[in-house]
Amino acid sequence: MTRSILLGPPGSGKGTQAQRLANLYQIPHISTGDLLREAVANETELGKKAKEYMDSGNLVPDETILGMVRDRLDQPDAKAGWILDGFPRSVSQAEFLDKLLQEISQELDIAINLDVPDDIVVSRMLGRGRADDNEETIRRRLEVYREQTAPTIDYYSDRDKLVSVDGDRDVDEVTAALQAAIAS
Ligand code: B4P
């Protein structure tokens, strides 16, 4: 069992690795990106609000994200552990998560930073071909990452929760390194 966060730039492989870890540990993979894309596909109110931010590479506002995360962590299947992917994406979201975990008497085990250079993440995302994977949006997402998400690395490091893993390797090697980090 583990309660772990995967941090890292867009395209670093958070979704890929979170899915593998969730299967290995038999716990839910909670991806705010997947939850948002599902809401957009189902044309829910939340999805309609989120779409323009996602298409432009900006963060969806906290008022939309936080309730969604609270509801998901409150589900019975999340009691036994989880892998959070794409959340938190800013220091304000990290602070919210700390308070929420306190409220529901859960403790974060580890935040893992998947370290991958910019040129590699850009070529991966162009190869992936998702709706928000065009060059302009990718450039904006990297800017947003540096400005708003990278500070969460210091946030967890200051709390002795951070481990960095080299994500610029074969997918299986990255999974093995993540398992070792979770076990440590
Ligand atoms: P996300 O869905 O979180 O997507 P991502 O960061 O772009 O990708 P990820 O790191 O998961 O990479 P993947 O495994 O797919 O975010 C999308 C948007 O949603 C954001 O821009 C934002 O607007 C919004 N959003 C989400 N969460 C939010 C929040 N908390 N607050 C506000 N807004 C939020 O891997 C990428 C590619 O690389 C794949 O093709 C994969 O096959 C390949 N790959 C993976 N690992 C590899 C490896 N080791 N070697 C080679 N290729 C690899």
Side-chain angles (χ1 to χ4, degrees):
M1 196 278 271
T2 184
R3 297 190 182 101
S4 301
I5 293 173
L6 282 190
L7 303 172
S12 55
K14 301 182 297 290
T16 304
Q17 295 297 335
Q19 189 55 56
R20 289 173 148 237
L21 294 172
N23 289 339
L24 283 165
Y25 295 100
Q26 291 291 297
I27 51 177
H29 162 207
I30 301 178
S31 156
T32 43
D34 287 350
L35 291 170
L36 289 168
R37 279 184 288 278
E38 197 181 306
V40 170
N42 292 332
E43 298 184 356
T44 65
E45 279 311 306
L46 191 152
K48 284 181 203 158
K49 279 189 208 152
K51 189 173 184 317
E52 62 172 302
Y53 294 96
M54 297 174 78
D55 286 347
S56 60
N58 287 304
L59 293 188
V60 175
D62 281 1
E63 66 197 46
T64 304
I65 297 285
L66 301 183
M68 191 179 85
V69 171
R70 178 189 293 275
D71 289 349
R72 185 62 190 88
L73 282 179
D74 214 23
Q75 299 292 311
D77 68 339
K79 299 280 179 266
W82 32 258
I83 306 286
L84 262 182
D85 153 22
F87 185 92
R89 246 183 167 88
S90 62
V91 168
S92 74
Q93 292 186 1
E95 287 167 348
F96 167 86
L97 181 64
D98 274 352
K99 282 197 207 110
L100 175 61
L101 293 180
Q102 233 171 24
E103 268 171 50
I104 60 178
S105 303
Q106 293 191 8
E107 196 184 342
L108 174 70
D109 294 320
I110 192 172
I112 308 173
N113 177 39
L114 265 184
D115 202 7
V116 180
D118 276 9
D119 54 336
I120 302 285
V121 296
V122 171
S123 71
R124 282 187 190 176
M125 282 189 277
L126 287 173
R128 182 174 61 178
R130 214 169 60 194
D132 57 347
D133 284 339
N134 59 73
E135 272 198 68
E136 195 187 333
T137 306
I138 290 173
R139 212 174 308 119
R140 178 64 192 145
R141 280 156 64 197
L142 283 170
E143 261 172 36
V144 168
Y145 172 76
R146 273 189 285 271
E147 287 163 11
Q148 299 185 54
T149 309
T152 59
I153 295 173
D154 286 340
Y155 182 92
Y156 287 109
S157 171
D158 290 347
R159 286 157 182 75
D160 287 330
K161 293 279 186 192
L162 188 86
V163 171
S164 260
V165 162
D166 176 6
D168 184 14
R169 292 184 275 179
D170 173 79
V171 176
D172 287 338
E173 284 178 44
V174 179
T175 307
L178 292 171
Q179 282 184 272
I182 288 170
S184 66

